[in-house]
Amino acid sequence: METTDARKISVVINTYNAERHLKETLESVVGFDEIVVCDMESTDSTRDIALSYGCRIVTFPKANYVCAEPARTFAIQSASCPWVLVVDADETVTPLLRDYLYRRISEPDCPEGLYIPRRNRFMNIPEKGRAADWQLRFFVREGTTWPPYVHTFPKVMGRVERIPQTDGVELEHLAENYLFEVAEKQNRYTTAEVDKRWNKGYGMGALLWRPTWRFLRSYLFGGEFRNGTPGLIHSLMGAYYQFLLVAKIIERRRNLSK
C-alpha cells in the first residue's frame, strides 16, 4: 500500500519468548509500512522468526521485568513512521482494521489516538455478549509515552476516540484463554501491579469490595452471564485477580513496616 510519509504506519510488537503465536501475528501485519519488534532478550526462536519476516529488531534489557510495559515507550520511539499501531505478539490485525486505519489517517478530522476493540477467547471459546475490550493501540508517535506499569494505557498528546464497533474491524486475541494461562499470568501481573498500587492504603475492606465489584462489573454489567458457565468462571477469575492484588499489597506493606 503506497502512502505519503505523513500517512505511514509502523507496527510495533513487544516480545519475550513469543515464538508460539508470532508467525500468525506477523502474517496479519504484512502490508504495513514498517514492522518493529522490540525484543526483551528472548531465548527461543522469536528473533529468528522476526528476521524471517524482514522485521527491524531492537533490544530492551529483560532484567527482572515480568511484563512489556517498561519497554513500550522505547519500542514506540524506535519506530520511524508518524503513526504507530501496537500489537501484542499473541494478537492479529484483521484486514478490515488495517484498511480502516489507513483510511482514517487520510481524513482531516482524524484524532491523535484511537481505541481499538479486541475480540478475546476464554477456555478456547469465543466470547459473546460482553462489553468490548477497548485497547488504546493506535496513535501518533510524536510525544506518546507509556507508563511502565502493567495494565496501563499510553499517554497520547491530542484527541483520542474509539473506533465505531463494526464486524471485523478489531484486534483478535489468540492466547491467554486457557485457565492455566490465565492463572499463571494473574500471579505475574499482580506482582508487577503492586509497584503501581502498593501505597493505596488497601486494607481488609478492599479484600472484600474490590473482588465483589469486579465480579459484578464483569458478570452483570459486562454481560458475562450470557456466556454461561465459562462466563461465570471468567468473572470469578477477574474477582480473584483483585483479591490477590490487594493481598500482595497488604503483604508488602506489612513487610516494609517491620
Side-chain angles (χ1 to χ4, degrees):
M1 178 177 298
E2 293 186 6
T3 58
T4 64
D5 286 345
R7 297 173 184 173
K8 287 189 173 182
I9 300 173
S10 294
V11 172
V12 170
I13 304 172
N14 288 82
T15 58
Y16 175 68
N17 288 352
E19 64 182 8
R20 178 180 174 188
H21 296 290
L22 188 56
K23 289 183 179 180
E24 193 169 354
T25 297
L26 292 175
E27 285 287 345
S28 77
V29 297
V30 171
F32 283 92
D33 298 288
E34 178 185 48
I35 305 173
V36 178
V37 170
C38 179
D39 186 61
M40 298 177 77
E41 301 178 321
S42 292
T43 58
D44 64 358
S45 63
T46 293
R47 293 176 69 92
D48 292 336
I49 294 171
L51 286 171
S52 73
Y53 278 84
C55 302
R56 183 159 63 86
I57 300 177
V58 296
T59 302
F60 189 88
K62 174 65 170 69
N64 294 320
Y65 299 126
V66 298
C67 61
E69 277 72 13
R72 295 283 198 193
T73 299
F74 172 76
I76 291 166
Q77 297 308 320
S78 296
S80 62
C81 297
W83 292 91
V84 170
L85 172 64
V86 173
V87 181
D88 283 348
D90 59 3
E91 296 172 342
T92 58
V93 177
T94 64
L96 288 176
L97 174 58
R98 182 184 63 237
D99 293 344
Y100 177 91
L101 295 177
Y102 275 106
R103 183 172 66 252
R104 193 70 176 93
I105 63 177
S106 70
E107 298 170 350
D109 65 338
C110 182
E112 285 72 28
L114 288 171
Y115 279 91
I116 301 173
R118 181 172 66 175
R119 182 155 54 91
N120 298 310
R121 300 174 69 87
F122 184 69
M123 297 172 66
N124 208 31
I125 301 169
E127 295 182 328
K128 58 184 178 181
R130 67 175 302 201
D133 180 16
W134 293 100
Q135 300 291 322
L136 182 52
R137 297 290 194 79
F138 186 71
F139 38 76
V140 292
R141 177 177 57 84
E142 188 68 29
T144 297
T145 59
W146 202 305
Y149 304 108
V150 68
H151 292 156
T152 53
F153 285 152
K155 297 183 182 298
V156 178
M157 295 182 63
R159 182 165 53 95
V160 176
E161 294 181 358
R162 287 184 174 184
I163 292 177
Q165 283 192 264
T166 306
D167 286 346
V169 182
E170 60 194 3
L171 293 168
E172 295 181 333
H173 201 184
L174 304 174
E176 300 160 11
N177 65 78
Y178 286 102
L179 292 178
F180 82 92
E181 295 173 310
V182 175
E184 187 275 334
K185 191 171 183 179
Q186 282 186 328
N187 188 45
R188 286 191 292 114
Y189 274 27
T190 50
T191 296
E193 197 165 354
V194 168
D195 292 334
K196 181 173 66 173
R197 297 181 179 271
W198 75 274
N199 61 346
K200 290 289 187 180
Y202 293 146
M204 185 177 297
L207 283 172
L208 299 175
W209 70 261
R210 285 188 65 87
T212 300
W213 168 242
R214 179 54 61 92
F215 174 80
L216 293 175
R217 192 177 77 175
S218 172
Y219 191 69
L220 295 180
F221 309 130
E224 282 288 7
F225 64 89
R226 298 187 182 93
N227 289 311
T229 300
L232 176 62
I233 294 171
H234 189 270
S235 297
L236 288 171
M237 293 290 283
Y240 176 69
Y241 182 97
Q242 293 301 314
F243 175 83
L244 189 60
L245 172 61
V246 174
K248 288 183 178 182
I249 291 170
I250 292 172
E251 178 185 57
R252 175 179 288 191
R253 193 166 60 241
R254 289 172 65 89
N255 286 334
L256 289 175
S257 66
K258 289 182 180 178

